[in-house]
Amino acid sequence: MIADRSKSIPRVCYEIFVRSFCDSNGDGIGDLKGIISKLDYLADLGIEAIWLTPIHPSPSYHKYDVVDYFAIEPEYGTIYDFRRLLYEAHKRKIEIYLDLIVNHTSTLHPWFTEARKSPDNQFRQYYWWMTPPQIDALGISRRETSDDSQVVYPWHENAEDQQKYYGLFYKGMPDLNYHSPALRTELEKIIDFWLVEIGVDGFRLDAARHIYPDWEKQHSLEFWDFFAGLIKKSNPDAFTVGEVWAETEEVAPYFKHLDATFHFDLSFALQRILVQEQDEELIEKLLASYAVFAQYNPLFIDAIMLTNHDQERIGSVVVNHPDKMKLAASILLTLPGQPYIYYGEEIGMLGSKPDPHIREPFLWTECPEDEPGTTGWINAKFSTFETVVPLSRQATDPKSIYNHYRTLIHLRKAEPALCQIIDPNLSAVDLSDKQLLAFLRPHFTRPVLVIHNLSGTTKSIRVPNILRDMHEVIFTNDPNIAGAFTGGLLAPYASIILAAGTAAFKTELTEQ
């Protein structure tokens, strides 16, 4: 059983696609020094943990095909830059999670360059190799596409070799084979290096459900039990959050071995709700998922998000509708769980597939020549100065998307009912209108009532009699609401959060 981490769990996290975030040296590529320069920004926003996409040497722009697990991609900096990033982040009480890719490597990794030389090579066992007759006998020459891989034919040829190697995501990413004891020993060295020698706070674990191929998927949970043992041995306080891109029933068992997993079902439900402007019994479905998760670990941590670096950005999902982007933030940041904000969501960045264009440069200022930092590794197609207001302008606008995020993040951290993560506190509230999403966040200090208007029309709100003592407004972005709220009108796409008693944060945290 995973230890109780309820006193040390970061309450708001932030995903950084390193190449696109901040460029410190003018080469157009985001880097570690650039992130260091923006730590004060992130701390002020209210961020308590940063998930960095891969920072290891790699031939690709995204770095998910690792060549060396013990080094830093030279485009991003040095190991000394990373040590300084850790030091500066920790000074600001921000944790750092590394993206650890244990499913596959690059074909340029020394393990694979050796493995492909000969069936007798000692590194051959690190990967999956079969002859075409063996593949056909198992019926695994092709696969059905999934949300996380569009590859249909995952077996790839090795020149002048009778065997093929297995690569689920791409021929340049051969899958690792953890039947190999030697490979498991190497993994232990990698974990110990980053947790003990370097001192990172945890790992985001890529492709967690694909550690073993589909025909041996029964071994995957055993692997994560082994992995959890390595974490406990190196640093029992290290945090693990897994990418298990699947439905609730398949995700749940991973909570036996990981602190958290990302809630993809919730992500897509939120997107549908925002587009359709109608609730789909979200709270009831969440409560059902919590019950399933708790069967495997009552201390589960639900890692929640709107989108990430593999999905169409939420701004594009709602067709660059500023009020809907605010509503998306309002829902995410009032639900239970550990929220992850994808860099740029807080300024309304846009992005649609292909992947590079959901990872475009963060827009720091409309005059990059006056304030360096904006990356230029790709010509942005979606997040341009014509479509997205840069941070420098949003920071001074109290009604901006950025200030909406900042306000809600600080409210979430200030209100115990909103920031509870372990044993999610949530109850449905029926307002008899599918275009209203309402729920209670119970807490022994003071519960809060949350109401979101999902529609483009003004709604009449009737607070249930049993909750009538919850009339103090601790947040709303409806400018027409002032003073106590016992019922009345709520503006299109607006939200209101109510509590009983004096609201200490009302003046500071209510948008005007």
Side-chain angles (χ1 to χ4, degrees), residues 97-121:
Y97 304 153
L98 284 191
D99 211 325
L100 184 62
I101 300 88
V102 296
N103 170 257
H104 54 263
T105 68
S106 168
T107 50
L108 301 181
H109 194 289
W111 296 341
F112 191 79
T113 59
E114 285 294 315
R116 74 188 316 168
K117 289 179 180 178
S118 163
D120 300 324
N121 191 283

Side-chain angles (χ1 to χ4, degrees), residues 209 221 242 244-256 260-265 292-293 296 302:
R209 65 189 284 254
L221 288 174
V244 186
W245 195 325
E247 296 182 352
T248 294
E249 290 70 24
E250 184 175 345
V251 171
Y254 289 83
F255 281 112
K256 292 175 65 175
T261 74
F262 290 105
H263 202 148
F264 284 92
D265 277 354
V292 177
F293 296 158
Y296 294 90
D302 196 21

Side-chain angles (χ1 to χ4, degrees), residues 185-199:
T185 298
E186 291 300 319
L187 178 60
E188 182 173 7
K189 294 176 185 176
I190 293 165
I191 290 172
D192 200 60
F193 176 78
W194 288 105
L195 291 184
V196 179
E197 185 170 338
I198 302 301

Side-chain angles (χ1 to χ4, degrees), residues 386-408:
E386 288 72 37
T387 58
V388 177
V389 179
L391 175 67
S392 59
R393 282 174 50 199
Q394 291 201 34
T396 60
D397 178 3
K399 296 183 179 180
S400 67
I401 296 171
Y402 161 75
N403 274 305
H404 184 80
Y405 265 90
R406 185 179 180 278
T407 293
L408 280 165

